[in-house]
Amino acid sequence: MSLQLDQLVPEHIRLFDPYRPSPPDAELMRRYGLDRLHRLNNNENPLGPSPAVRELLAGIEAGIVPVYPHGDSQNLREALSEVLGPDRSRFLVGNGSCELISSVVKAFCEPGDNIVTADKTFAVYEWVARFSGIEARLVPLTRDHGFDPDAMLAAMDGRTKLVFVCNPNNPTGAYWNEATMRRFLDAVDGRCIVVADEAYFEYVERPDYPDCIRLLDEYPNLVVFRTFSKMHALAALRVGYLCAGEDVTDVIGRAHVAYSVNTPAQLAARAALLDRSPFVERTRAMVRQGREVIRAACAELGFEHIIGEGNYAMIRTPISDTLLQRKLLRRGFLVRTMTGFRFPNWIRVSLVERPVLEEFRAALTSLFR
Amino acid sequence: MNTSASCIRLLLPADAAWVGLVQAAAEQAGAVFGLDRDKALRLVHCAEELLLFLASAEAGDIETTLRPLSTGVEIGFSFASADVDLSAMNLVSAPSADKTDGPGGDRSSLPLLLASRMSDGFRVGLEGRRMEIALRVDKAYPEPEPLPAERVRAQGRPTLSAAGDADALFEACSAIAGLYPAHVAPAWCASPGRAADMVRAGELFALEARDAAGRLCGVVFWEMRSERSVAFFGPYDFSVDGSVAGDLVNALLQAVGRTGAKNVFSGLATRPLADHGFELLAELPYLLGDSPTPVTHAVWGRMLQEDFGATAWTHPGFADFLRGRYDALDLVRDLRPVRELGEAAQAGSVIGARLTPGLGEALLHPELNGADMGDNLARHVAALAAAGYRNILFEIDLAKGWHAALGEHLLRCGFRPALLLPLGGQSDTLVFRHVPAA
Ligand SMILES: Cc1ncc(COP(=O)(O)O)c(C=O)c1O
């Protein structure tokens, strides 16, 4: 029997190049002969999880495993409602916010529709659109590396169903303040859904940074995404959520797989949310320090850098980002290359504990001095 | 196989009785697909000879495909490889005693003859379990006298955009012809109409830089060399101060950065690119025309994606070269030496080939291993050299142990490792260059 795969697979899948994650740390360390590996590539929070989550995870009984989780994460949505305000019916929880990106595209887009986002931003919006056979319209960033509201409005047409605004933007850290966000939402005027991806919400300390959940009542076409992977340090558990108007949440929920969030993840996310320890504040302090270390390193080496909000920084060096990634990996540092984000010769570095970044700085300096 | 709506297919036995059928199909397809009379006759000739050749090789049931390309027509013959002695499919095969007297005489180097004299491109190779042999006949494009060109003093920072229409490409190709030596001008530069057809078909990409006054300040071209790698031409910088090359390279990288391509390297580089984040992969001497002195083509490349280490097969004959390259490129590889295990190889080997007669370049690659690989290689080199191919390259994929094991034959036959392309194939590929004196 021969399988005629070409005839079974739609063109947009055939042409799609899948994301290939890095090998397991132990395998990388073996290949590179390393005795330690610092992960600066995924914007993880190395301080986490918070003490309350640690305690909870240590106490999880194997007995919960044979039983399905809450299919709709009810207790977690209760907690989200308690802490953030909107009714629990307006939250939808996913297997990471990546799953929610997929659900929102499935819920609103059909062939011929398009989505609008930036060219240099988190790649998953573009990927999900493309492998779903939906056109992704990519609008160049402004000169100061932010989303360009006017150009995005100009890119929209009658078939635009979704606009993804990464706020603050990964990887540039630029953000729309509340006035810009409102102006944009006013101009869109309900013609399509606007997703504000606030994956790094908890890291932003600027007074003019908008909490889009507070804008939901004014803008029924607004959908806010957040995740437990970043500040709350639950990346391995895969939990993210969205908040929107009740009917919009209901529509997205129809395209969303129930039971996709497992019980330990739901429990841990709830514990993280309710934790009142200084964990979040400690993380913010770590990131503030991290920015200073990277700024100083770049000043010393004469390297261009982009440091905005979020727990990451971008650095431009005189060699290709891919070569630098290999050189740094040999020295025990995993960084993200930025050619795939359309920033050739830039790397992105997660802002972690100061001693680790000091070591990173020393490695970088040794390569370029 | 690539199928397109207007592709003509014939299923027939490889039998000389059907020559008229394939000739008629080729003649009509040639005309419908836009070849002029002269070129269409070449296609007819290719069709006839290939069918007779496959008949003599007893290829069984064959599929003939006539397919319009952006720049011409390709005629391909494919057949199930299982019951056929594939060694006859080599560009040149060993003359076999029992076939030289039959009708048609010795056909052992017919594919090469056809490829060199009748067609503008040739490839032979296995596609899964089918053997495919295909010849390309290009449309005859006008080759206009280039427009006069001079360097421009750009007004402000030029803006970059995709170039595609024939006039814009003519302007760019004229500037290249006027401002750069001939050996760094891509072949299609002589016929901008051809370049425009390639761009329209998505086979070639071009980005041009224009200043505020709309004057052309530079251009860069690229094409997918394989599913995983991009080859670029340029950057051609027409500004007086050379200020445009950097923007062109950056735009090229932005354009290919989020595609499936894993690496990008120069097909024809115009300048050192170390300052633009490229690594020097090789400096290849090329013998052009009858010139006794080679020109040097520097190959500049860089990866587009992260690399976390991999495994590569190696052979003592080129292990040192590999180690040197991997060190220079900071690539971590588990090098696995191939071993002679004494297993029986089938008799006839098959070497795949892509010929570019205009450049005198033959790029060979292994398709099927066989006991006669050493002799087969030597036959190829001798016949190609005799046919005027002065740049003979052989590419192996280090993901395949049996490719690496060819190291012995390659060295003995005068090939020397010259260019390592990280992730150029399934894994890294290694390109050998034939050095006649070696
Ligand atoms: C902007 C942005 N959105 C979403 C995500 C995905 O997060 P999750 O782990 O919740 O799928 C990330 C992770 O890198 C991100 O940077």
Side-chain angles (χ1 to χ4, degrees):
Chain A
M1 188 182 67
S2 76
L3 175 60
Q4 301 278 311
L5 208 52
D6 264 11
Q7 287 170 19
L8 296 175
V9 182
E11 171 157 296
H12 58 266
I13 296 293
R14 208 156 22 85
L15 298 181
F16 188 76
D17 185 53
Y19 174 76
R20 289 185 189 78
S22 59
D25 288 7
E27 174 62 14
L28 268 184
M29 290 166 71
R30 186 196 63 74
R31 284 188 199 167
Y32 279 78
L34 301 172
D35 49 26
R36 55 169 182 58
L37 178 67
H38 296 298
R39 303 175 52 93
L40 309 185
N41 61 331
N42 277 343
N43 302 343
E44 292 152 351
N45 178 359
L47 296 186
S50 73
V53 174
R54 278 177 204 276
E55 201 178 313
L56 173 117
L57 290 174
I60 283 183
E61 295 275 343
I64 67 166
V65 171
V67 182
Y68 277 101
H70 289 164
D72 60 2
S73 307
Q74 181 165 323
N75 289 346
L76 174 54
R77 289 188 297 119
E78 251 353 317
L80 286 165
S81 171
E82 209 173 290
V83 173
L84 300 172
D87 188 77
R88 72 165 197 234
S89 61
R90 297 173 56 182
F91 289 95
L92 183 64
V93 181
N95 190 268
S97 48
C98 283
E99 190 193 21
L100 295 166
I101 295 173
S102 187
S103 299
V104 78
V105 170
K106 280 187 207 143
F108 288 101
C109 298
E110 52 191 331
D113 290 342
N114 63 71
I115 68 149
V116 171
T117 187
D119 60 343
K120 296 167 179 170
T121 186
F122 188 52
V124 176
Y125 321 128
E126 177 185 342
W127 284 340
V128 170
R130 289 200 6 237
F131 68 59
S132 308
I134 304 298
E135 180 195 358
R137 298 192 174 173
L138 306 177
V139 178
L141 295 183
T142 58
R143 282 209 175 277
D144 40 10
H145 315 297
F147 274 56
D148 184 338
D150 296 326
M152 291 175 72
L153 288 166
M156 286 171 49
D157 64 14
R159 296 301 300 264
T160 302
K161 293 291 183 68
L162 295 167
V163 175
F164 285 95
V165 181
C166 189
N167 207 41
N169 189 28
N170 169 12
T172 61
Y175 68 97
W176 280 356
N177 62 22
E178 181 160 338
T180 306
M181 182 64 80
R182 281 179 178 280
R183 255 200 317 277
F184 182 76
L185 288 165
D186 289 336
V188 170
D189 194 25
R191 283 174 290 159
C192 68
I193 298 291
V194 175
V195 174
D197 183 350
E198 298 184 339
Y200 299 92
F201 175 84
E202 299 85 351
Y203 284 102
V204 188
E205 300 184 72
R206 303 287 185 142
D208 61 346
Y209 173 71
D211 172 350
C212 282
I213 289 184
R214 286 195 304 100
L215 301 184
L216 285 173
D217 289 338
E218 286 170 70
Y219 299 99
N221 60 328
L222 180 61
V223 178
V224 182
F225 280 20
R226 294 202 189 148
T227 178
F228 285 95
S229 301
K230 303 300 175 183
M231 174 60 85
H232 294 298
L234 303 186
L237 293 176
R238 312 298 304 122
V239 209
Y241 60 96
L242 65 77
C243 188
E246 193 174 341
D247 40 0
V248 171
T249 306
D250 175 62
V251 165
I252 303 170
R254 296 178 203 187
H256 188 75
V257 178
Y259 297 101
S260 70
V261 184
N262 67 68
T263 305
Q266 292 184 26
L267 294 172
R270 187 167 176 280
L273 202 61
L274 300 175
D275 188 339
R276 292 286 139 226
S277 75
F279 167 73
V280 168
E281 192 33 59
R282 273 181 51 227
T283 302
R284 287 185 187 141
M286 171 189 78
V287 169
R288 280 193 296 270
Q289 283 188 353
R291 289 191 188 114
E292 291 323 307
V293 176
I294 299 296
R295 268 198 198 103
C298 290
E300 184 191 5
L301 291 164
F303 289 168
E304 210 181 322
H305 55 277
I306 301 175
I307 302 179
E309 306 310 305
N311 61 337
Y312 43 84
M314 286 177 65
I315 305 173
R316 180 185 199 153
T317 77
I319 63 175
S320 76
D321 48 344
T322 45
L323 176 60
L324 182 57
Q325 177 261 328
R326 306 195 298 268
K327 285 183 183 289
L328 286 168
L329 187 48
R330 278 188 190 270
R331 289 158 179 81
F333 297 94
L334 199 49
V335 299
R336 176 69 75 208
T337 61
M338 289 280 100
T339 296
F341 279 73
R342 304 191 175 95
F343 275 106
N345 303 346
W346 291 78
I347 58 167
R348 190 193 65 199
V349 178
S350 306
L351 300 172
V352 298
E353 308 97 310
R354 177 170 209 139
V356 174
L357 288 181
E358 293 288 4
E359 267 184 70
F360 168 77
R361 174 183 180 174
L364 199 63
T365 307
S366 74
L367 284 174
F368 290 100
R369 248 220 316 253
Chain B
M1 176 191 276
N2 204 338
T3 54
S4 74
S6 50
C7 170
I8 307 302
R9 294 148 179 284
L10 300 172
L11 296 172
L12 68 161
D15 185 328
W18 297 108
V19 157
L21 179 68
V22 295
Q23 280 176 322
E27 185 171 4
Q28 203 183 359
V32 172
F33 295 154
L35 297 185
D36 66 16
R37 179 92 198 119
D38 200 40
K39 288 285 197 170
L41 283 177
R42 288 192 184 207
L43 191 69
V44 171
H45 191 69
C46 288
E48 170 193 349
E49 290 293 341
L50 276 176
L51 181 69
L52 291 175
F53 169 69
L54 292 177
S56 75
E58 292 164 18
D61 287 332
I62 57 175
E63 177 172 326
T64 306
T65 317
L66 284 148
R67 182 159 89 78
L69 303 176
S70 59
T71 57
V73 182
E74 185 180 75
I75 181 160
F77 288 81
S78 76
F79 52 91
S81 57
D83 304 316
V84 181
D85 173 12
L86 294 179
S87 62
M89 294 305 127
N90 281 292
L91 212 45
V92 274
S93 50
S96 81
D98 56 324
K99 290 206 182 116
T100 44
D101 314 328
D106 177 18
R107 297 186 164 275
S108 60
S109 53
L110 183 94
L112 174 61
L113 217 67
L114 280 179
S116 297
R117 305 243 176 97
M118 286 293 146
S119 73
D120 301 297
F122 169 84
R123 61 191 170 84
V124 59
L126 280 167
E127 294 262 345
R129 276 179 240 156
R130 291 184 74 81
M131 188 77 198
E132 187 178 24
I133 184 163
L135 291 162
R136 192 184 85 228
V137 176
D138 283 347
K139 288 188 241 174
Y141 286 95
E143 299 196 353
E145 197 56 37
L147 305 165
E150 57 183 47
R151 298 210 168 265
V152 291
R153 196 172 298 280
Q155 275 179 28
R157 193 165 181 175
T159 46
L160 292 137
S161 59
D165 68 77
D167 288 326
L169 291 171
F170 183 35
E171 190 185 357
C173 293
S174 295
I176 294 172
L179 304 173
Y180 283 89
H183 70 269
V184 297
W188 31 258
C189 247
S191 35
R194 174 190 169 94
D197 281 352
M198 291 164 73
V199 170
R200 178 151 1 97
E203 290 161 12
L204 180 70
F205 303 85
L207 266 176
E208 59 171 31
R210 286 190 188 270
D211 73 356
R215 286 174 310 175
L216 183 66
C217 304
V219 67
V220 64
F221 298 95
W222 71 95
E223 63 185 16
M224 297 300 295
R225 179 184 184 260
S226 68
E227 229 171 282
R228 296 264 169 263
S229 58
V230 173
F232 68 93
F233 306 87
Y236 301 98
D237 183 340
F238 310 139
S239 69
V240 281
D241 56 357
S243 57
V244 180
D247 284 352
L248 287 168
V249 170
N250 208 46
L252 159 73
L253 292 173
Q254 290 187 351
V256 300
R258 207 175 267 182
T259 64
K262 292 191 174 292
N263 67 24
V264 54
F265 61 90
S266 57
L268 290 171
T270 50
R271 58 166 64 212
L273 290 170
D275 288 348
H276 299 292
F278 280 72
E279 295 131 53
L280 183 61
L281 299 182
E283 295 190 291
L284 298 178
Y286 257 74
L287 287 162
L288 300 177
D290 301 326
S291 167
T293 40
V295 298
T296 300
H297 278 305
V299 183
W300 292 90
R302 54 161 288 174
M303 310 266 282
L304 294 167
Q305 298 182 4
E306 283 142 18
D307 189 277
F308 299 109
T311 302
W313 288 99
T314 179
H315 178 274
F318 55 79
D320 286 344
F321 178 87
L322 277 190
R323 257 182 236 114
R325 292 309 300 153
Y326 285 138
D327 278 352
L329 298 174
D330 252 294
L331 282 163
V332 168
R333 293 293 182 264
D334 285 337
L335 288 183
R336 230 176 259 177
V338 286
R339 288 208 180 78
E340 191 60 69
L341 296 175
E343 78 274 34
Q346 60 144 16
S349 59
V350 177
I351 293 174
R354 276 175 185 276
L355 302 184
T356 315
L359 276 179
E361 182 194 88
L363 176 58
L364 308 177
H365 64 270
E367 281 287 4
L368 262 190
N369 204 4
D372 71 340
M373 185 55 101
D375 292 341
N376 197 3
L377 258 178
R379 265 196 308 272
H380 274 76
V381 168
L384 285 165
Y389 287 89
R390 301 180 74 197
N391 306 292
I392 305 175
L393 306 170
F394 196 100
E395 183 167 7
I396 62 172
D397 192 326
L398 301 179
K400 296 168 185 157
W402 75 269
H403 278 208
L406 300 179
E408 194 68 48
H409 294 308
L410 285 163
L411 290 172
R412 224 181 288 133
C413 198
F415 284 93
R416 295 292 176 264
L419 169 64
L420 175 78
L421 292 174
L423 302 182
Q426 191 180 324
S427 175
D428 306 332
T429 65
L430 180 57
V431 179
F432 291 77
R433 201 174 68 82
H434 187 252
V435 184

